[in-house]
Amino acid sequence: WEIDHVGRYKYVSPKIESILGYSSAEVEGNRFIDFVIEEKEVIENFFQVTFENKSPFYNLEMVCCDKNGKSTVLNTSGFPIISSEGDLEGFRGVSRDVTLKRNHERKLNHQRLMLRGILDAIQESAFLLDKDGRILHANLTVAERLNTNVKSMIGNHIGDFVPKDLL
């Protein structure tokens, strides 16, 4: 894609149709912000500063609305186009659809929260360990019994908290 100095699309790859459902012709001439549906003001402010500073940007995630009204998360990076006089002419960049990745991350985070909730509800001491015996999570019961807090246990080896003869 390429946008002009006010954020209006001058060029969009035909690939846009497989991402947002719009043809290049339907997108060109519109402002990029017209497709953003979440945190629109934050994105506008970010781009205002980016335009003023004529600076590149990397891995900005924007939630956009596709032609069918569905949310699509785009990871976007762009580089300024500067005239020979030093004026900003616009930006050229790439956007990737990361919707599935973000949805998987949300589900995984939800599962982690559920697991932590279950561990914290157990009245016995419980640890969640990695394959090397490092603590990924410990419940509140074990932290209280060891007179510490869960946060200080994370990342340490279980042997730092449990006598060696019990391991």
Side-chain angles (χ1 to χ4, degrees), residues 146 158-159 161-167:
L146 295 173
I158 191 169
F161 298 98
V162 177
K164 306 286 187 237
D165 60 323
L166 293 179
L167 294 177

Side-chain angles (χ1 to χ4, degrees), residues 5 8 11 18 24-25 33 50 57 67-68 73 86 91 97 105 112 119 125 138-139 145 150:
H5 66 284
R8 197 171 314 283
Y11 168 79
S18 67
S24 297
I33 201 70
T50 302
F57 61 93
K67 193 170 185 173
N68 297 318
V73 184
F91 280 82
D97 183 353
E105 286 173 354
R112 282 186 188 128
L119 279 175
S125 298
N139 69 358
R145 287 182 178 162
V150 172

Side-chain angles (χ1 to χ4, degrees), residues 103-117:
N103 288 342
H104 289 140
E105 286 173 354
R106 279 189 208 108
K107 286 178 186 174
L108 184 59
N109 190 43
H110 177 71
Q111 290 172 343
R112 282 186 188 128
L113 291 174
M114 283 180 35
L115 178 59
R116 286 182 180 157

